[in-house]
């Protein structure tokens, strides 16, 4: 899978996640935080904490790319600046 190979390259690097853009993609795809958390197999509270910290595992990132149909994941998950 293309996204998995990208994720493995960045797995151990410190990168910032553009949470604003990630949440915007959730809105575009009509996903609530609770619905996305259910899809990821975590609680809504855990997802909220991950949003606050900006820390997600590579498996969670891969799932979100698929669930939210993110076309350019590098712009959200591996950005150097956060808007």
């Amino acid at each position: 899978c293309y996204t998995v190979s990208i994720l493995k390259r960045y797995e151990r690097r410190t990168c910032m996640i553009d949470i604003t853009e990630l949440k915007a993609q959730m809105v575009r795809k009509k996903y609530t935080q609770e619905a996305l958390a259910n899809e990821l197999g975590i609680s809504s509270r855990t997802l909220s904490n991950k949003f606050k910290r900006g820390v997600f595992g590579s498996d969670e990132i891969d799932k979100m790319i698929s669930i939210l149909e993110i076309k350019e994941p590098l712009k959200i998950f591996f950005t150097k600046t956060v808007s």
Side-chain angles (χ1 to χ4, degrees):
C1 178
Y2 171 73
T3 56
V4 172
S5 64
I6 290 173
L7 293 172
K8 287 191 185 292
R9 248 187 285 157
Y10 289 94
E11 213 167 46
R12 302 220 181 256
R13 297 182 187 180
T14 303
C15 298
M16 299 183 85
I17 296 175
D18 188 341
I19 298 298
T20 303
E21 185 56 35
L22 179 57
K23 287 184 176 183
Q25 185 67 14
M26 287 172 60
V27 170
R28 284 191 284 275
K29 294 298 178 178
K30 297 180 170 64
Y31 266 87
T32 63
Q33 196 165 304
E34 185 175 347
L36 182 59
N38 287 334
E39 290 280 340
L40 294 173
I42 59 177
S43 71
S44 184
R45 183 176 183 160
T46 298
L47 183 59
S48 178
N49 288 337
K50 288 178 178 281
F51 279 139
K52 287 177 188 170
R53 292 186 195 119
V55 177
F56 290 90
S58 59
D59 58 328
E60 294 165 329
I61 291 171
D62 193 40
K63 286 180 186 178
M64 286 189 285
I65 290 168
S66 177
I67 293 165
L68 299 174
E69 300 173 9
I70 297 170
K71 304 284 186 230
E72 298 182 56
L74 295 178
K75 288 185 177 181
I76 295 176
F77 296 107
F78 306 107
T79 186
K80 292 185 181 182
T81 59
V82 177
S83 58

